Structure formats: C-alpha cells, structure tokens
Amino acid sequence: MSKIAVCFPGIGYHCENPLLYYSRNIAFALGYKDCRNVNYTYNAGNIRGNEDKMKEAYEALFSQSEAELTDIDWSEYDDVLFISKSLGTIIAASYVRKYGLKRVRHILYTPLAQTFLFAPTNAIAFIGTADPWSDTDEITRLSNTNHIPISVYEGGNHSLECADTLKNIENLRDIMQKTMDFCKGTS
C-alpha cells in the first residue's frame, strides 16, 4: 500500500513545532514513507480578526501550496494523510475540494471556522478552550455537524499549550496517542 503524509503548517507554527513534528514522525513510523512539508511564507503582519487580510493570506498560501504539490500524482497513493494546523487546515481542506481528492484523511490541529466551509471528511480535530483565533464552542459545533471527532483541551491556546509545562507534556501525549490511533484507523 502506498502512503503519503503532507503537513500544512500555520503561518507562525511551522513543521518543526511539536504538533506537526511529532505527528509527522508518527506517520513515518506507520508506513507513510513519503512525507512532505508544505513550505510557504506570508508577511503581512497580524491577520487575526481582519477578514480581508485573512483572505489575502489564504490565497497567497494556497497558491504556494499548489506550486509545492504540483509534482504529486495523487492517484499513485492508496492512503493520503493531510496533517494541518490553523490556517493550514483551511488550505488542506480546500485543496482536497479543488482537486477532487478521494482518499484523504485529515488531522486538524486548531482548525479555524473557515475550514468547515470545505466540509472535510474522514477527519479528527483538536482545539483549546483559550484559543484566541477560534471560538471553541463554534469549532466544536462545526466539528460535530461535520461528524468530525474533536478533542478539547482546557486552557489550551492556539498551540494547544497552557502555562503548566507538565500539563502541556501530558496533553501532547494525549494528542499524539489520538493522532496515532487515527493514523492506524483505530479511532
């Protein structure tokens, strides 16, 4: 079975940050030998709460993603895993829709509400109650409406972290266990 995992980072949360770093390592250990990190840049300052800047950022990053993924023949893969964070969740979900990809599973770390406009399926999501980018109740509702299991972390910010380092480690272990179970198809 041929497998590929693609990581779509957020603007300030890169593929070497814990959520994407460890989930990519899990995917690789589970047979996703083709692992790609989408690399994109956007430097227009703070976009949070600014709908025009958010749209501009999305369009710029989506275009860069298309260019980075243009050499992939998706039909060669039996299992496609998109691991995404924040704005990357919108890019991953909209990419699937635009290109009509069928065998894609999504891991959505701190998805934004706009992600659900593209109705991702076969997914799992994670959000914190102190995420300044998202309304936790809205994201939970949207996840439930789209039949996407979601894990909510008390006090977790946009990186799913809080002020307590040991709690962060405990939460990261839980997140990665759920990520592994999803990758294995056991969640």
Side-chain angles (χ1 to χ4, degrees):
M1 176 187 281
S2 57
K3 300 177 172 186
I4 185 171
V6 180
C7 289
F8 295 84
I11 291 177
Y13 196 96
H14 307 287
C15 291
E16 296 309 313
N17 288 96
L19 296 170
L20 298 178
Y21 176 82
Y22 289 114
S23 58
R24 186 181 65 243
N25 286 347
I26 286 169
F28 188 79
L30 293 174
Y32 293 85
K33 299 304 179 200
D34 193 351
C35 290
R36 295 271 189 107
N37 291 334
V38 175
N39 295 298
Y40 37 62
T41 58
Y42 184 76
N43 298 314
N46 188 4
I47 66 171
R48 185 176 58 201
N50 185 323
E51 195 172 317
D52 291 335
K53 277 189 174 183
M54 180 68 105
K55 183 177 183 205
E56 182 181 295
Y58 162 77
E59 289 171 355
L61 299 181
F62 187 86
S63 177
Q64 292 173 52
S65 298
E66 285 182 306
E68 285 220 15
L69 301 175
T70 192
D71 65 320
I72 298 175
D73 179 356
W74 299 104
S75 66
E76 291 181 4
Y77 296 96
D78 302 308
D79 188 353
V80 178
L81 180 65
F82 280 2
I83 305 166
S84 57
K85 170 77 175 77
S86 187
L87 186 59
T89 64
I90 304 169
I91 295 165
S94 62
Y95 187 92
V96 168
R97 176 170 289 173
K98 179 174 180 178
Y99 290 96
L101 303 181
K102 301 293 181 213
R103 292 180 298 259
V104 178
R105 296 184 302 140
H106 290 274
I107 298 171
L108 306 168
Y109 294 123
T110 65
L112 303 179
Q114 297 90 329
T115 304
F116 299 95
L117 296 174
F118 301 98
T121 59
N122 203 0
I124 188 170
F126 302 85
I127 194 79
T129 61
D131 188 335
W133 282 78
S134 296
D135 177 318
T136 305
D137 292 336
E138 178 186 23
I139 297 301
T140 301
R141 182 185 57 74
L142 290 167
S143 291
N144 291 333
T145 299
N146 285 275
H147 309 289
I148 296 172
I150 186 164
S151 296
V152 179
Y153 293 87
E154 188 62 39
N157 64 17
H158 198 55
S159 297
L160 294 174
E161 295 178 341
C162 62
D164 182 338
T165 302
L166 293 179
K167 183 66 174 169
N168 291 336
I169 293 168
E170 180 183 316
N171 286 348
L172 184 62
R173 177 170 174 48
D174 183 69
I175 293 163
M176 289 305 122
Q177 183 64 59
K178 290 175 180 172
T179 295
M180 182 181 301
D181 292 344
F182 180 78
C183 290
K184 287 179 177 178
T186 58
S187 69

